[in-house]
């Protein structure tokens, strides 16, 4: 059974109007539930938008259900968001770059910029 973002948020948030129903489903089907790295990315974005601890939200979801796909990349990106102030997508690009220089259009005057996290 594929667990999507709203279901996992209902389990992770301290207060959620769907929390009780989500907990009942989780208790009944915990061994059958899984999700993808894309749900983790969506959770990262929601946590960032709602000013929640991105690292905690992503890690909590990864502990609740099996993740099919590259969970480590999203977990690492969540750490960069929390510890270094990156935006979620900049953090994901940084992790995926594998330490290589990142070239992008980082400012309004159109100059090419580069960054790397060593």
């Amino acid at each position: 059974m594929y667990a999507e973002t709203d279901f996992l948020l209902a389990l992770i948030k301290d207060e959620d109007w769907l929390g009780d129903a989500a907990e009942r489903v989780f208790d009944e089907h915990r061994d059958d539930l899984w999700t993808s790295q894309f749900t983790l990315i969506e959770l990262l974005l929601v946590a960032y938008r709602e000013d929640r601890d991105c690292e905690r939200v992503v890690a909590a979801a990864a502990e609740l259900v099996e993740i099919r796909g590259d969970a480590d990349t999203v977990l690492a990106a969540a750490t960069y968001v929390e510890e270094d102030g990156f935006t979620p997508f900049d953090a994901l690009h940084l992790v995926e770059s594998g330490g290589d220089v990142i070239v992008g259009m980082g400012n309004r005057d159109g100059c090419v910029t580069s960054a790397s996290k060593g």
Side-chain angles (χ1 to χ4, degrees), residues 66-80:
E66 172 191 353
I67 308 300
R68 296 184 188 171
D70 186 4
D72 291 340
T73 291
V74 186
L75 288 164
T79 300
Y80 282 122

Side-chain angles (χ1 to χ4, degrees), residues 3-12 16 18 22 39 42-43 46:
E4 58 91 40
T5 306
D6 291 331
F7 173 75
L8 291 170
L9 277 173
L11 293 171
I12 294 167
D16 191 286
L18 295 172
T39 300
E42 187 175 4
L43 286 167
V46 170

Side-chain angles (χ1 to χ4, degrees), residues 3-104:
E4 58 91 40
T5 306
D6 291 331
F7 173 75
L8 291 170
L9 277 173
L11 293 171
I12 294 167
K13 286 182 174 180
D14 293 331
E15 296 288 326
D16 191 286
W17 69 279
L18 295 172
D20 291 339
E23 286 180 27
R24 282 192 300 276
V25 171
F26 181 77
D27 288 342
E28 188 174 329
H29 299 285
R30 89 176 51 219
D31 294 333
D32 301 319
L33 293 168
W34 66 277
T35 198
S36 71
Q37 70 194 54
F38 302 109
T39 300
L40 292 184
I41 292 169
E42 187 175 4
L43 286 167
L44 174 63
L45 294 170
V46 170
Y48 182 78
R49 181 187 69 213
E50 294 181 358
D51 199 29
R52 296 181 181 277
D53 184 324
C54 296
E55 194 171 13
R56 188 190 79 74
V57 169
V58 173
E63 289 178 18
L64 286 171
V65 297
E66 172 191 353
I67 308 300
R68 296 184 188 171
D70 186 4
D72 291 340
T73 291
V74 186
L75 288 164
T79 300
Y80 282 122
V81 170
E82 287 303 318
E83 293 182 4
D84 298 307
F86 282 82
T87 64
F89 282 112
D90 284 345
L92 287 163
H93 290 305
L94 179 65
V95 174
E96 280 297 311
S97 75
D100 220 350
V101 172
I102 299 171
V103 179

